[in-house]
Amino acid sequence: YRRVFLIKGPRTTVTLSRLTIRNGLGAGTAVGMMLMWHARVTLVDSIVTQHQGGPAIACGDGGAVLVVRNSTISDNGDNGIEFRMYPYTGPTHAVDIARNRFVHNDSDGIQLIDYAGLTSRTILIERNVIAGNAMAGLGCMANGNTLENFAGALYPQRKHQRFAKDPLTGVAFLRRQVFAVLDAYGTRLQDMVA
């Protein structure tokens, strides 16, 4: 068992920049980076790769804040990022995942896991390249389920999810990824292979 970073604490704010985080080993828990107990982490211009036994990056409590920009999360043995949206009340936290590459992970590129109750957060996922992951590019899971089943999930809290499209063709930049998307009323909009 080998976790590269465990970041925890109610007043912990960490910025990691220009790092290569690799070769974590575990069993069902985050092996690259784990955020707990309201930790705030920004990961910029970095590579997270070759972790086995759990997600490369995981947020493990309701108050965690994660910003990932201009980074590559690739070739991991589970999800690239697993974000558990446990109930949380307090100041609105912004989760920002932008301008990254999520490629060749053995489960979802990004997995959002919903739990009962609202969380005070916004989620912005934009301008990412998501390709070649074994399951969903963006997995949306309900009821604390972490095993991808392509059912989608209704997230009643505010969120902003934008996928860049080619201005000429209108086709999303995402390749060979499956999305199960629900609208605000819980109606399944579509299963889309982009």
Side-chain angles (χ1 to χ4, degrees):
Y1 178 79
R2 180 175 62 239
R3 180 180 293 136
V4 181
F5 284 102
L6 172 61
I7 303 167
K8 61 183 180 177
R11 291 180 189 86
T12 303
T13 301
V14 175
T15 298
L16 302 171
S17 180
R18 299 178 187 233
L19 292 176
T20 297
I21 303 168
R22 73 166 42 137
N23 295 328
L25 180 64
T29 187
V31 293
M33 182 171 27
M34 178 75 171
L35 286 63
M36 297 183 69
W37 302 321
H38 301 268
R40 297 169 177 263
V41 174
T42 300
L43 179 70
V44 182
D45 298 322
S46 295
I47 298 169
V48 182
T49 189
Q50 300 173 357
H51 299 285
Q52 298 299 318
I57 299 171
C59 296
D61 75 354
V65 176
L66 178 65
V67 174
V68 180
R69 294 188 183 136
N70 303 319
S71 294
T72 298
I73 293 84
S74 69
D75 301 297
N76 295 293
D78 201 301
N79 299 315
I81 292 178
E82 180 178 285
F83 198 97
R84 294 174 180 264
M85 294 189 293
Y86 291 117
Y88 159 73
T89 57
T92 299
H93 288 170
V95 176
D96 185 357
I97 302 171
R99 297 180 307 279
N100 302 292
R101 296 180 67 236
F102 294 90
V103 295
H104 304 126
N105 295 294
D106 285 350
S107 190
D108 296 347
I110 303 168
Q111 187 178 81
L112 304 176
I113 304 167
D114 194 30
Y115 290 82
L118 296 178
T119 64
S120 299
R121 74 178 78 246
T122 60
I123 299 170
L124 177 63
I125 299 172
E126 68 175 348
R127 297 188 175 125
N128 296 290
V129 173
I130 302 175
N133 297 291
M135 301 297 278
L138 173 60
C140 300
M141 309 302 298
N143 304 315
N145 178 26
T146 64
L147 299 176
E148 182 58 68
N149 61 12
F150 303 104
L154 173 62
Y155 296 114
Q157 57 270 1
R158 296 179 298 157
K159 66 185 168 305
H160 307 280
Q161 297 165 343
R162 295 184 283 206
F163 298 95
K165 293 191 177 186
D166 183 310
L168 299 177
T169 65
V171 174
F173 285 120
L174 309 172
R175 300 279 187 244
R176 293 182 308 278
Q177 295 300 299
V178 179
F179 299 90
V181 179
L182 303 182
D183 69 10
Y185 303 101
T187 305
R188 191 178 187 120
L189 294 176
Q190 62 184 328
D191 286 328
M192 170 176 80
V193 178

